[in-house]
PDB file of all heavy atoms in Angstrom:
ATOM      1  N   SER X  25      84.294 132.098 141.485  1.00 93.00           N
ATOM      2  CA  SER X  25      84.230 130.788 142.117  1.00 93.00           C
ATOM      3  C   SER X  25      82.822 130.530 142.624  1.00 93.00           C
ATOM      4  O   SER X  25      81.992 131.430 142.667  1.00 93.00           O
ATOM      5  CB  SER X  25      85.242 130.684 143.263  1.00 93.00           C
ATOM      6  OG  SER X  25      84.946 131.623 144.280  1.00 93.00           O
ATOM      7  N   ARG X  38      83.834 151.178 138.148  1.00 98.00           N
ATOM      8  CA  ARG X  38      84.756 151.854 139.047  1.00 98.00           C
ATOM      9  C   ARG X  38      84.038 152.945 139.824  1.00 98.00           C
ATOM     10  O   ARG X  38      83.012 153.460 139.395  1.00 98.00           O
ATOM     11  CB  ARG X  38      85.949 152.438 138.286  1.00 98.00           C
ATOM     12  CG  ARG X  38      85.608 153.531 137.279  1.00 98.00           C
ATOM     13  CD  ARG X  38      86.835 153.890 136.462  1.00 98.00           C
ATOM     14  NE  ARG X  38      86.597 155.000 135.558  1.00 98.00           N
ATOM     15  CZ  ARG X  38      87.481 155.450 134.683  1.00 98.00           C
ATOM     16  NH1 ARG X  38      88.678 154.872 134.594  1.00 98.00           N
ATOM     17  NH2 ARG X  38      87.188 156.474 133.889  1.00 98.00           N
ATOM     18  N   ALA X  97      81.980 142.462 138.008  1.00 97.00           N
ATOM     19  CA  ALA X  97      80.575 142.110 138.117  1.00 97.00           C
ATOM     20  C   ALA X  97      80.185 141.077 137.074  1.00 97.00           C
ATOM     21  O   ALA X  97      80.856 140.924 136.049  1.00 97.00           O
ATOM     22  CB  ALA X  97      79.698 143.356 137.955  1.00 97.00           C
ATOM     23  N   ALA X 107      73.111 147.769 137.315  1.00 94.00           N
ATOM     24  CA  ALA X 107      72.200 146.774 137.871  1.00 94.00           C
ATOM     25  C   ALA X 107      72.638 145.363 137.494  1.00 94.00           C
ATOM     26  O   ALA X 107      71.905 144.638 136.824  1.00 94.00           O
ATOM     27  CB  ALA X 107      70.777 147.053 137.413  1.00 94.00           C
ATOM     28  N   GLY X 114      86.156 144.732 145.066  1.00 97.00           N
ATOM     29  CA  GLY X 114      86.930 145.809 144.485  1.00 97.00           C
ATOM     30  C   GLY X 114      88.432 145.712 144.690  1.00 97.00           C
ATOM     31  O   GLY X 114      88.910 145.084 145.625  1.00 97.00           O
TER      32      GLY X 114
END
Side-chain angles (χ1 to χ4, degrees):
S25 63
R38 64 188 185 184

